[in-house]
Amino acid sequence: MHRRTALSVSVALLAAAPLLAACSGGTRPGTAAVVGGERITTSALQAQVNDVRAAQNRSEDGGRLIGATAGLERLKLNKMIQTAVLERAADDAGLSVSTKEIEDVRKAQLQQVGGEKALAAAALEQAQLAPDQIDADTRFKLLRDKLFAHYGSQDKALVKLGEAAKELHVEVNPRYGRWDEKQILLGDQQTPWITQKTVAQQAAPAGA
């Protein structure tokens, strides 16, 4: 049965709780965005940002990493909104990702890069991910790729994602920018999420 009246975001999905809180509609103090009538709180967003900043501060190259990610809040909010949109589109298509699939990708990543420390460093450098955000990112990309395969092309999947986004009536606190309905992204992100590569793809062995 489709979950069409509420979003359900698990710990495995975004590794932060509570991410969404009930909202009667419209942005208000403490709200970063409203998606499907539920709000992404500023505290949930800040938790995502703080995890990355903490990882960057632990890095020997922390100063450069922090300096290169001045727009981290918007980047993370963009991903949180897109995750909700992807969940809706995937649910409409009857698609899901299992824990085993995520674990299999992690095994491939660890073999490719040479262990947990190297994987964490690559995720932080390449995708602005804290260690506890890597599996959520993997799940996102696996689900995205299943959606592409289900509809036969990225263009067709993008249409369905756009429809899902419209159904969810995304509203963003102006502090974080403007939601672009056509591109399905927040503000002036440099790379549309539909084509982004992540550590899951970069670290996977060729042909995986």
Side-chain angles (χ1 to χ4, degrees), residues 109-141:
Q109 291 173 337
L110 293 173
Q111 291 176 356
Q112 182 73 10
V113 302
E116 292 284 356
K117 185 175 180 179
L119 177 60
L124 191 62
E125 170 77 26
Q126 299 168 6
Q128 296 78 51
L129 296 171
D132 63 358
Q133 296 171 357
I134 296 174
D135 285 351
D137 184 71
T138 297
R139 184 185 188 280
F140 180 98
K141 290 304 185 277

Short mmCIF file of all heavy atoms in Angstrom, two decimals, residues 109-141:
data_model
loop_
_atom_site.label_atom_id
_atom_site.label_comp_id
_atom_site.label_asym_id
_atom_site.label_seq_id
_atom_site.Cartn_x
_atom_site.Cartn_y
_atom_site.Cartn_z
N GLN A 109 32.80 -0.63 -1.23
CA GLN A 109 33.50 0.62 -0.95
C GLN A 109 34.77 0.37 -0.13
O GLN A 109 35.85 0.87 -0.44
CB GLN A 109 32.59 1.58 -0.17
CG GLN A 109 31.42 2.11 -0.97
CD GLN A 109 30.47 2.91 -0.09
OE1 GLN A 109 30.42 2.73 1.13
NE2 GLN A 109 29.69 3.78 -0.70
N LEU A 110 34.62 -0.42 0.92
CA LEU A 110 35.75 -0.67 1.82
C LEU A 110 36.88 -1.40 1.10
O LEU A 110 38.06 -1.12 1.30
CB LEU A 110 35.29 -1.48 3.04
CG LEU A 110 34.35 -0.73 3.99
CD1 LEU A 110 33.81 -1.68 5.07
CD2 LEU A 110 35.06 0.45 4.64
N GLN A 111 36.51 -2.34 0.23
CA GLN A 111 37.52 -3.06 -0.54
C GLN A 111 38.23 -2.14 -1.51
O GLN A 111 39.43 -2.24 -1.73
CB GLN A 111 36.87 -4.23 -1.29
CG GLN A 111 36.40 -5.35 -0.38
CD GLN A 111 35.66 -6.44 -1.13
OE1 GLN A 111 35.45 -6.34 -2.34
NE2 GLN A 111 35.26 -7.49 -0.43
N GLN A 112 37.47 -1.23 -2.10
CA GLN A 112 38.02 -0.35 -3.12
C GLN A 112 38.97 0.69 -2.53
O GLN A 112 40.05 0.95 -3.09
CB GLN A 112 36.87 0.36 -3.86
CG GLN A 112 37.31 1.28 -4.98
CD GLN A 112 37.80 0.51 -6.20
OE1 GLN A 112 37.64 -0.70 -6.27
NE2 GLN A 112 38.39 1.22 -7.14
N VAL A 113 38.57 1.32 -1.41
CA VAL A 113 39.37 2.42 -0.87
C VAL A 113 40.36 1.98 0.20
O VAL A 113 41.28 2.73 0.53
CB VAL A 113 38.47 3.54 -0.30
CG1 VAL A 113 37.54 4.07 -1.39
CG2 VAL A 113 37.67 3.06 0.90
N GLY A 114 40.16 0.78 0.78
CA GLY A 114 41.15 0.28 1.73
C GLY A 114 40.82 0.44 3.19
O GLY A 114 41.73 0.52 4.02
N GLY A 115 39.53 0.49 3.54
CA GLY A 115 39.16 0.51 4.95
C GLY A 115 38.29 1.69 5.35
O GLY A 115 38.05 2.61 4.57
N GLU A 116 37.82 1.62 6.60
CA GLU A 116 36.88 2.62 7.11
C GLU A 116 37.47 4.04 7.12
O GLU A 116 36.78 5.00 6.77
CB GLU A 116 36.46 2.24 8.53
CG GLU A 116 35.61 0.99 8.63
CD GLU A 116 34.17 1.23 8.21
OE1 GLU A 116 33.82 2.39 7.91
OE2 GLU A 116 33.40 0.24 8.16
N LYS A 117 38.72 4.16 7.52
CA LYS A 117 39.33 5.49 7.61
C LYS A 117 39.41 6.15 6.24
O LYS A 117 39.08 7.35 6.08
CB LYS A 117 40.72 5.40 8.23
CG LYS A 117 41.38 6.75 8.48
CD LYS A 117 42.71 6.59 9.20
CE LYS A 117 43.35 7.95 9.45
NZ LYS A 117 44.65 7.81 10.17
N ALA A 118 39.81 5.38 5.25
CA ALA A 118 39.92 5.92 3.89
C ALA A 118 38.54 6.25 3.32
O ALA A 118 38.36 7.26 2.63
CB ALA A 118 40.63 4.93 2.99
N LEU A 119 37.56 5.41 3.63
CA LEU A 119 36.20 5.66 3.15
C LEU A 119 35.65 6.94 3.76
O LEU A 119 35.04 7.77 3.07
CB LEU A 119 35.30 4.48 3.49
CG LEU A 119 33.82 4.64 3.09
CD1 LEU A 119 33.68 4.84 1.59
CD2 LEU A 119 33.01 3.43 3.56
N ALA A 120 35.86 7.12 5.06
CA ALA A 120 35.38 8.32 5.74
C ALA A 120 36.02 9.58 5.16
O ALA A 120 35.36 10.60 4.95
CB ALA A 120 35.64 8.23 7.24
N ALA A 121 37.32 9.49 4.88
CA ALA A 121 38.03 10.64 4.31
C ALA A 121 37.51 10.97 2.92
O ALA A 121 37.32 12.14 2.57
CB ALA A 121 39.53 10.35 4.27
N ALA A 122 37.26 9.95 2.11
CA ALA A 122 36.76 10.16 0.76
C ALA A 122 35.35 10.75 0.78
O ALA A 122 35.03 11.66 0.00
CB ALA A 122 36.76 8.84 -0.02
N ALA A 123 34.52 10.25 1.67
CA ALA A 123 33.15 10.75 1.77
C ALA A 123 33.13 12.21 2.19
O ALA A 123 32.35 13.01 1.68
CB ALA A 123 32.36 9.92 2.77
N LEU A 124 33.99 12.56 3.11
CA LEU A 124 34.06 13.94 3.60
C LEU A 124 34.57 14.88 2.51
O LEU A 124 34.04 15.97 2.31
CB LEU A 124 34.97 14.00 4.82
CG LEU A 124 34.96 15.30 5.62
CD1 LEU A 124 33.58 15.58 6.19
CD2 LEU A 124 35.99 15.22 6.75
N GLU A 125 35.60 14.44 1.80
CA GLU A 125 36.23 15.27 0.77
C GLU A 125 35.34 15.41 -0.46
O GLU A 125 35.17 16.51 -1.00
CB GLU A 125 37.56 14.64 0.36
CG GLU A 125 38.22 15.27 -0.86
CD GLU A 125 38.90 16.59 -0.56
OE1 GLU A 125 39.31 16.79 0.60
OE2 GLU A 125 39.03 17.41 -1.49
N GLN A 126 34.78 14.32 -0.92
CA GLN A 126 34.09 14.30 -2.21
C GLN A 126 32.61 14.64 -2.12
O GLN A 126 32.04 15.16 -3.08
CB GLN A 126 34.25 12.92 -2.85
CG GLN A 126 35.69 12.54 -3.13
CD GLN A 126 35.84 11.08 -3.50
OE1 GLN A 126 34.87 10.35 -3.64
NE2 GLN A 126 37.08 10.62 -3.64
N ALA A 127 31.96 14.33 -1.00
CA ALA A 127 30.50 14.46 -0.93
C ALA A 127 30.00 15.17 0.32
O ALA A 127 28.80 15.20 0.56
CB ALA A 127 29.86 13.08 -1.03
N GLN A 128 30.92 15.74 1.13
CA GLN A 128 30.53 16.46 2.34
C GLN A 128 29.66 15.60 3.25
O GLN A 128 28.63 16.03 3.76
CB GLN A 128 29.82 17.77 2.00
CG GLN A 128 30.67 18.77 1.25
CD GLN A 128 30.80 18.44 -0.22
OE1 GLN A 128 29.80 18.22 -0.91
NE2 GLN A 128 32.03 18.41 -0.72
N LEU A 129 30.09 14.35 3.44
CA LEU A 129 29.36 13.41 4.28
C LEU A 129 30.15 13.08 5.53
O LEU A 129 31.34 12.75 5.46
CB LEU A 129 29.10 12.11 3.52
CG LEU A 129 28.21 12.20 2.28
CD1 LEU A 129 28.25 10.88 1.52
CD2 LEU A 129 26.79 12.57 2.65
N ALA A 130 29.50 13.15 6.68
CA ALA A 130 30.08 12.63 7.91
C ALA A 130 29.99 11.11 7.86
O ALA A 130 29.19 10.55 7.11
CB ALA A 130 29.31 13.17 9.12
N PRO A 131 30.80 10.41 8.68
CA PRO A 131 30.79 8.95 8.61
C PRO A 131 29.40 8.33 8.77
O PRO A 131 29.07 7.36 8.09
CB PRO A 131 31.72 8.55 9.77
CG PRO A 131 32.69 9.69 9.84
CD PRO A 131 31.87 10.92 9.56
N ASP A 132 28.57 8.88 9.66
CA ASP A 132 27.26 8.28 9.88
C ASP A 132 26.23 8.69 8.84
O ASP A 132 25.06 8.31 8.93
CB ASP A 132 26.74 8.58 11.29
CG ASP A 132 26.53 10.07 11.55
OD1 ASP A 132 26.81 10.88 10.64
OD2 ASP A 132 26.08 10.41 12.65
N GLN A 133 26.65 9.44 7.83
CA GLN A 133 25.75 9.82 6.74
C GLN A 133 26.01 9.02 5.46
O GLN A 133 25.27 9.15 4.48
CB GLN A 133 25.90 11.32 6.44
CG GLN A 133 25.48 12.22 7.60
CD GLN A 133 25.84 13.68 7.37
OE1 GLN A 133 26.47 14.04 6.37
NE2 GLN A 133 25.45 14.53 8.31
N ILE A 134 27.04 8.19 5.47
CA ILE A 134 27.43 7.48 4.25
C ILE A 134 26.37 6.49 3.81
O ILE A 134 26.01 6.41 2.63
CB ILE A 134 28.79 6.77 4.44
CG1 ILE A 134 29.89 7.82 4.66
CG2 ILE A 134 29.11 5.91 3.22
CD1 ILE A 134 31.25 7.21 5.01
N ASP A 135 25.84 5.70 4.74
CA ASP A 135 24.84 4.71 4.36
C ASP A 135 23.57 5.36 3.83
O ASP A 135 22.94 4.83 2.90
CB ASP A 135 24.51 3.81 5.56
CG ASP A 135 25.60 2.79 5.85
OD1 ASP A 135 26.54 2.66 5.03
OD2 ASP A 135 25.52 2.13 6.90
N ALA A 136 23.18 6.50 4.40
CA ALA A 136 21.99 7.21 3.91
C ALA A 136 22.22 7.69 2.49
O ALA A 136 21.31 7.63 1.65
CB ALA A 136 21.67 8.38 4.84
N ASP A 137 23.42 8.16 2.21
CA ASP A 137 23.75 8.61 0.86
C ASP A 137 23.72 7.44 -0.11
O ASP A 137 23.23 7.56 -1.24
CB ASP A 137 25.13 9.26 0.87
CG ASP A 137 25.50 9.84 -0.49
OD1 ASP A 137 24.91 10.86 -0.88
OD2 ASP A 137 26.38 9.26 -1.16
N THR A 138 24.23 6.30 0.32
CA THR A 138 24.19 5.10 -0.51
C THR A 138 22.75 4.70 -0.81
O THR A 138 22.40 4.38 -1.95
CB THR A 138 24.92 3.94 0.19
OG1 THR A 138 26.29 4.27 0.37
CG2 THR A 138 24.80 2.65 -0.61
N ARG A 139 21.92 4.73 0.20
CA ARG A 139 20.51 4.38 0.01
C ARG A 139 19.85 5.32 -0.99
O ARG A 139 19.10 4.90 -1.87
CB ARG A 139 19.77 4.44 1.34
CG ARG A 139 18.31 3.98 1.24
CD ARG A 139 17.58 4.16 2.55
NE ARG A 139 16.26 3.55 2.48
CZ ARG A 139 15.20 4.12 1.91
NH1 ARG A 139 15.31 5.32 1.37
NH2 ARG A 139 14.04 3.49 1.88
N PHE A 140 20.13 6.60 -0.86
CA PHE A 140 19.57 7.59 -1.77
C PHE A 140 19.92 7.26 -3.21
O PHE A 140 19.06 7.24 -4.10
CB PHE A 140 20.11 8.97 -1.38
CG PHE A 140 19.63 10.11 -2.25
CD1 PHE A 140 18.56 10.90 -1.85
CD2 PHE A 140 20.25 10.39 -3.47
CE1 PHE A 140 18.11 11.95 -2.64
CE2 PHE A 140 19.81 11.44 -4.26
CZ PHE A 140 18.73 12.23 -3.84
N LYS A 141 21.18 6.98 -3.47
CA LYS A 141 21.62 6.74 -4.84
C LYS A 141 21.12 5.40 -5.38
O LYS A 141 20.79 5.29 -6.55
CB LYS A 141 23.15 6.82 -4.91
CG LYS A 141 23.65 8.25 -4.73
CD LYS A 141 23.03 9.20 -5.75
CE LYS A 141 23.59 10.60 -5.68
NZ LYS A 141 22.97 11.41 -4.64
#
